[in-house]
Amino acid sequence: MSDDDDIILAVAMLQRGGVVAFPTETVYGLGADALNTAAVERVFSIKGRPAQHPLIVHIADASQLSEWARDIPAMAYTLATRFWPGPLTLILKRAARVPDNVTGGQDTIGLRVPNHLVALSLLKKFGGGIAAPSANRFGRISPTTQGHVRAEFGNSVDMILDGGPCQVGVESTIVSLVGERPVILRPGGISRVALAGALGVSVEFNSAADNSPRAPGMLERHYAPRTPLRIVPTGRLFNEVSAMITFGQRVGILELAREPSKLPFLERGVFRYSMPVTPVEYAQSLYATLRQADDAQLDYLLVEQMPDSEEWLTVNDRLRRAANAHSE
């Protein structure tokens, strides 16, 4: 775990225009001073991220909202009071000083306060906003440990702060507040039910909403392992795997753990990865398990289909986008 000395070094690195990877409760971020356009460009270059894809600016607390956004609606303060620090990103109209490369040239900005001691300490000591996408190659699996970041980038990043495994494990919920009604552009660690309860109004989910701003994670192909991934109904898993191993293919299966003693094992070219049965715990372990499967150099990865319910919305969103990355 990174200590105060590490954080002081990271702040100095950011102030010099460096790029620092840091932990949040969701995933690790690849951060730069949000007002330093050259440093932000380095983030895009290291990650291989297209310039039109905006970054989320991380801030220390809600009192900084007016430094980064304008015409802030009351709903923003309601949600910030209820869910910050936490896995919620608010899309608002950007302040005049925000560089174009942070927002992908849009008139909107994504802001959030992460719920992680290392991240909050870094932000408070830095004093400004840190623009940060997830610390992985564009379109690939987000990192949930320091080791994942190191494996992804090696020495390309100036510094990597260690905060242990991420507790949420998937990216933040993104809510646009620039229209007449709040719209979820990306599901995440805060549910639609919780948002609606805080606001007292219904909250739409539409990752491709007309006239909605572009936001991270909205591509149909995203969060993908190198291994081709398919989602398969439970009743078809056995036949699918049997057909594949007949032809000598190495197959991985992400399946729900229905027996406490079930663990990943290798049998006749089949790798079985036992996944938690609750959506929160499943999300926590999803990206780490996908990376583990990639390391096994499999021919295919089959994922047991999850229930089509509100509780599983975020997990299903990530799995669908990962599967789309390998679709014809």
Side-chain angles (χ1 to χ4, degrees):
M1 184 76 70
S2 294
D3 57 21
D4 284 345
D5 290 340
D6 293 326
I7 292 170
I8 291 170
L9 288 173
V11 168
M13 187 68 68
L14 290 169
Q15 291 170 338
R16 293 197 300 268
V19 173
V20 174
F22 63 97
T24 76
E25 79 281 22
T26 56
V27 299
Y28 275 68
L30 190 64
D33 179 353
L35 295 180
N36 186 327
T37 56
V40 171
E41 287 299 328
R42 276 197 64 205
V43 170
F44 279 91
S45 177
I46 291 170
K47 188 176 170 71
R49 186 182 182 90
Q52 70 270 25
H53 287 266
L55 305 181
I56 293 170
V57 175
H58 297 68
I59 55 178
D61 58 66
S63 67
Q64 294 177 293
L65 270 174
S66 60
E67 299 175 21
W68 299 93
R70 71 180 198 279
D71 303 332
I72 303 170
M75 282 186 180
Y77 290 104
T78 298
L79 292 178
T81 299
R82 174 65 180 83
F83 297 111
W84 280 359
L88 176 67
T89 295
L90 301 179
I91 303 293
L92 302 165
K93 293 180 180 179
R94 75 186 229 191
R97 71 174 188 153
V98 179
D100 283 345
N101 62 352
V102 170
T103 68
Q106 300 180 106
D107 192 38
T108 56
I109 185 171
L111 295 164
R112 95 172 181 99
V113 179
N115 188 18
H116 193 290
L117 291 177
V118 172
L120 287 173
S121 180
L122 176 68
L123 286 160
K124 288 173 183 176
K125 286 182 169 62
F126 180 61
I130 299 178
S134 55
N136 55 281
R137 303 288 180 187
F138 182 71
R140 295 303 182 184
I141 308 167
S142 299
T144 55
T145 69
Q146 182 199 44
H148 294 162
V149 182
R150 183 69 66 192
E152 194 88 12
F153 294 120
N155 295 322
S156 299
V157 178
D158 297 318
M159 188 172 182
I160 304 174
L161 292 174
D162 185 12
C166 299
Q167 294 304 301
V168 175
V170 292
E171 297 78 5
S172 61
T173 302
I174 298 179
V175 178
S176 172
L177 297 177
V178 297
E180 294 182 0
R181 300 185 67 82
V183 177
I184 296 176
L185 302 181
R186 180 181 70 185
I190 304 296
S191 71
R192 174 164 51 181
V193 172
L195 293 167
L199 293 174
V201 299
S202 62
V203 179
E204 177 187 359
F205 169 61
N206 190 348
S207 62
D210 292 340
N211 301 318
S212 290
R214 296 188 307 276
M218 292 178 66
L219 294 177
E220 282 301 301
R221 303 183 179 197
H222 214 62
Y223 311 114
R226 296 186 302 273
T227 309
L229 181 151
R230 287 172 49 204
I231 302 169
V232 181
T234 304
R236 286 173 42 195
L237 269 175
F238 179 79
N239 290 338
E240 293 273 355
V241 174
S242 297
M244 288 181 173
I245 62 176
T246 298
F247 294 98
Q249 292 173 318
R250 292 161 56 85
V251 184
I253 309 172
L254 265 66
E255 57 185 338
L256 292 175
R258 296 181 178 85
E259 301 171 12
S261 61
K262 186 182 291 184
L263 296 172
F265 63 93
L266 171 64
E267 180 181 34
R268 296 176 58 204
V270 179
F271 290 78
R272 299 176 69 173
Y273 301 94
S274 185
M275 299 298 291
V277 297
T278 66
V280 171
E281 292 175 327
Y282 193 110
Q284 287 173 340
S285 61
L286 175 59
Y287 288 155
T289 304
L290 291 179
R291 285 178 176 270
Q292 184 182 356
D294 261 354
D295 290 341
Q297 299 182 331
L298 305 171
D299 294 304
Y300 287 96
L301 184 59
L302 304 182
V303 178
E304 182 177 2
Q305 189 173 46
M306 296 300 104
D308 184 17
S309 65
E310 187 78 22
E311 286 183 327
W312 288 92
L313 177 64
T314 299
V315 168
N316 282 330
D317 173 82
R318 302 307 192 270
L319 290 175
R320 177 179 61 81
R321 295 176 196 271
N324 284 345
H326 300 286
S327 62
E328 293 284 324

